[in-house]
Amino acid sequence: MEKLIITAAICGAEVTKKHNPNVPYTVEEIANEAEKAYRAGASIIHLHVRNDDGTPTQDKERFRACMEAIRERCPDVIIQPSTGGAVGMTNEERLQPVYLKPEMATLDCGTVNFGGDDIFVNTENTIIYFANKINELGIKPELEVFDKGMVDMALRLHKKGIIKGPLHFNFVMGVNGGISGEPRDLIFLSESIPKDATWTVTGIGRFEFPLATMAILMGGNVRVGFEDNVYISKGVLANSNAELVEKVVRIAKELGREIATPDEARKILGIVR
C-alpha cells in the first residue's frame, strides 16, 4: 500500500471566524496555518484565499501573496489552489489562480446543490473549458466529485482526451445536496474509478474522521481542514488545522500506514516538479 497523502484545506470560502475563531483570513494567518499543517504531516495545502475581512476572493494577486508566503515557510509543500471559488463567481474569476501555474489545481466535475438557493454550477462546457486551461498550463488536476455522476463525467472526458491521466479524484462526501458520507458510499465511489487512479476522501462535518479512517484502510488518501470541519471532536472546536492533521496521523500510525512527504506525494500522483 502506498504511503498516505494528507491534504489540509485550511480555510475554504464559506466558513468564518464565527464558526471557529482560528479560521485564517489574512496572508499571515493563512501562511501560519499552512506551515503548522505541513509540520504536522500534510503534504498538500488546498488553498482558498480571503480578503482581510474574511470575504472570499479568487484574485490572482491575493493568491500570489499567499502562495509566496507559504513557500517561504515550507518550500517543498504542494500548493493546490481551488478553482471552485465561491458560489456565484464567474468562470474567469474562478480560474485566476491557475495563471500562477501551481503544480495542482482543482477541477470540479459537475453541478451540485449547496443548500437553500445556493447552486454550485459546473456545466459540461465549463468543465471542458477549465480542463483545457489546466492542460495548457501543465497543471495536475484533482477531480472534485460530489456525486457518482461526476465520476462518470470525468471518465467520459478522460476517454475523449480532455481530462488527462493519471487520474486523481477527491470524493467530497456529506455535502447537503451531494452524496452522503456513509461507508457504503465511499466503497461505491472508490470502486467506480479505474484501478490505476488515485483518490482522496473529504468528509464534511461529522463524516471527516470516520471516512478518513476508511480511506487509510482502503489505500486512499485523506483531506481534513477548517474548510470541511471545524471540530476536533463532537462539540470541541479545533485549535488549528494542524490539530486535525495530527489526528489523522495518529490514526494512520495505529493502523500501520506511513505518511507521505511532499516529494513522495508527487511521485504517487505523477506530478513532475
Side-chain angles (χ1 to χ4, degrees):
M1 194 178 288
E2 297 275 16
K3 292 185 178 181
L4 176 70
I5 300 169
I6 301 175
T7 299
I10 58 176
C11 67
E14 312 295 341
V15 67
T16 70
K17 289 183 185 291
K18 291 181 180 178
H19 300 108
N20 184 322
N22 300 303
V23 172
Y25 291 170
T26 68
V27 173
E28 180 70 13
E29 288 172 344
I30 285 172
N32 281 338
E33 281 297 302
E35 181 181 16
K36 287 189 288 187
Y38 163 75
R39 301 287 177 200
S43 55
I44 300 174
I45 301 298
H46 173 71
L47 187 63
H48 288 257
V49 297
R50 308 291 192 92
N51 294 316
D52 285 354
D53 65 0
T55 55
T57 179
Q58 288 292 102
D59 179 69
K60 184 174 78 170
E61 294 310 314
R62 187 67 167 190
F63 267 99
R64 189 195 306 275
C66 289
M67 290 166 70
E68 288 177 352
I70 291 168
R71 288 196 186 106
E72 189 174 317
R73 293 162 180 258
C74 28
D76 66 329
V77 78
I78 300 167
I79 302 176
Q80 180 199 82
S82 169
T83 65
V87 171
M89 289 182 175
T90 67
N91 288 349
E92 289 307 324
E93 276 183 282
R94 289 169 53 188
L95 274 172
Q96 285 187 76
V98 303
Y99 298 109
L100 299 171
K101 297 186 178 180
E103 293 178 90
M104 290 187 81
T106 59
L107 175 58
D108 293 282
C109 292
T111 296
V112 63
N113 290 329
F114 269 175
D117 292 323
D118 287 342
I119 304 172
F120 181 38
V121 177
N122 293 282
T123 67
E124 183 176 15
N125 286 339
T126 292
I127 299 163
I128 292 169
Y129 180 59
F130 278 41
N132 286 337
K133 188 62 66 176
I134 285 169
N135 293 337
E136 176 189 320
L137 295 168
I139 299 166
K140 169 78 177 185
E142 179 179 81
L143 307 173
E144 306 299 297
V145 165
F146 295 81
D147 220 331
K148 169 61 165 59
M150 299 187 194
V151 171
D152 299 332
M153 173 65 78
L155 295 180
R156 281 197 298 273
L157 295 181
H158 174 58
K159 189 174 182 179
K160 291 179 178 180
I162 295 166
I163 293 177
K164 308 296 184 183
L167 300 177
H168 176 65
F169 292 84
N170 177 32
F171 303 138
V172 184
M173 304 180 67
V175 169
N176 181 11
I179 198 166
S180 77
E182 300 302 325
R184 63 166 187 228
D185 299 315
L186 179 56
I187 294 168
F188 178 47
L189 290 178
S190 66
E191 291 182 348
S192 300
I193 64 175
K195 297 297 183 185
D196 60 350
T198 53
W199 58 273
T200 290
V201 69
T202 297
I204 303 301
R206 65 185 177 87
F207 295 113
E208 185 166 72
F209 292 109
L211 288 175
T213 304
M214 281 188 67
I216 291 166
L217 290 168
M218 293 168 64
N221 302 289
V222 174
R223 184 177 107 175
V224 293
F226 285 155
E227 177 172 353
D228 311 315
N229 168 48
V230 296
Y231 296 97
I232 191 63
S233 58
K234 186 174 182 179
V236 180
L237 291 173
N239 292 315
S240 66
N241 285 278
E243 193 172 14
L244 301 171
V245 173
E246 287 164 355
K247 185 168 179 176
V248 172
V249 170
R250 287 197 302 273
I251 296 169
K253 287 182 176 178
E254 288 292 332
L255 297 174
R257 186 102 181 262
E258 294 183 68
I259 308 302
T261 66
D263 281 341
E264 289 169 335
R266 288 181 177 93
K267 185 175 180 182
I268 293 166
L269 298 173
I271 296 173
V272 179
R273 194 175 188 187

